[in-house]
Amino acid sequence: MIALLIEWTHILSVLCLVAGTAGRAACTGLAGRTDDFNTVRTLMQASSGFEMKMVRPSSLFILVTGLITAYLGGWPILGFLQGASVNWVLAALVIYLSIIPVIVFIFVPRGRNYHRALQEAGACGAVTPELRAALHDPAVRWARRYEILILLVVTFLMVVKPF
């Protein structure tokens, strides 16, 4: 019964991550299309809400409940490293953790640039070129695409268990 509860928590966490990622993307996409500073600020506050209340917590729950579910289900977490022939859990874990360098080297520093630009724009009450550039940062766009790719690939591995 506990194993089933943990597995369902894992599945619901994935759904929460998908919803939070979609909500965040919708808000940031709309914010990048408007010239009204108050609208940008409101949309980006909503985006931050999705990030802080859905994406980050569910990401942690997914990792913890996924590892526990794999362990309780008898799936070898380290695959071939522990002499097993089943490797989808290890592959999913490596792919999932590959977002960490993206967070450290793209999201954190670019987030600082965005917050600086937002404060400066707030001081003059208009969308500045710096804020516009931060909202359309190509590195962040590619990192967000990679984040979605990870979500899709890991979900595929969890559902199909191909190897």
Side-chain angles (χ1 to χ4, degrees):
M1 183 63 176
I2 288 287
L4 186 60
L5 181 62
I6 293 170
E7 184 176 6
W8 275 101
T9 301
H10 181 66
I11 293 166
L12 292 174
S13 296
V14 171
L15 294 175
C16 186
L17 178 61
V18 169
T21 300
R24 182 188 62 200
C27 290
T28 56
L30 291 170
R33 291 187 186 97
T34 184
D35 293 322
D36 179 64
F37 174 74
N38 290 325
T39 303
V40 169
R41 182 176 52 205
T42 300
L43 285 166
M44 294 309 288
Q45 285 171 342
S47 172
S48 179
F50 282 113
E51 176 75 23
M52 302 306 285
K53 294 179 180 166
M54 294 179 79
V55 173
R56 290 184 189 184
S58 63
S59 295
L60 179 61
F61 275 105
I62 288 168
L63 178 61
V64 172
T65 59
L67 290 172
I68 294 169
T69 299
Y71 175 77
L72 293 176
W75 296 103
I77 293 170
L78 298 178
F80 75 93
L81 297 174
Q82 64 187 75
S85 61
V86 175
N87 292 296
W88 69 267
V89 178
L90 175 61
L93 184 60
V94 169
I95 293 166
Y96 183 85
L97 294 175
S98 72
I99 195 68
I100 292 172
V102 175
I103 293 167
V104 171
F105 296 113
I106 296 175
F107 292 144
V108 170
R110 302 298 175 113
R112 285 188 196 118
N113 294 342
Y114 156 74
H115 286 291
R116 235 185 335 269
L118 183 65
Q119 282 184 330
E120 291 170 4
C124 57
V127 176
T128 61
E130 293 78 17
L131 180 56
R132 177 79 48 221
L135 290 171
H136 294 280
D137 187 330
V140 173
R141 282 189 175 184
W142 280 105
R144 293 291 182 211
R145 289 178 184 141
Y146 180 66
E147 189 178 38
I148 292 168
L149 178 64
I150 289 172
L151 181 59
L152 293 172
V153 171
V154 171
T155 301
F156 171 81
L157 290 172
M158 287 188 319
V159 172
V160 177
K161 300 170 182 51
F163 49 87

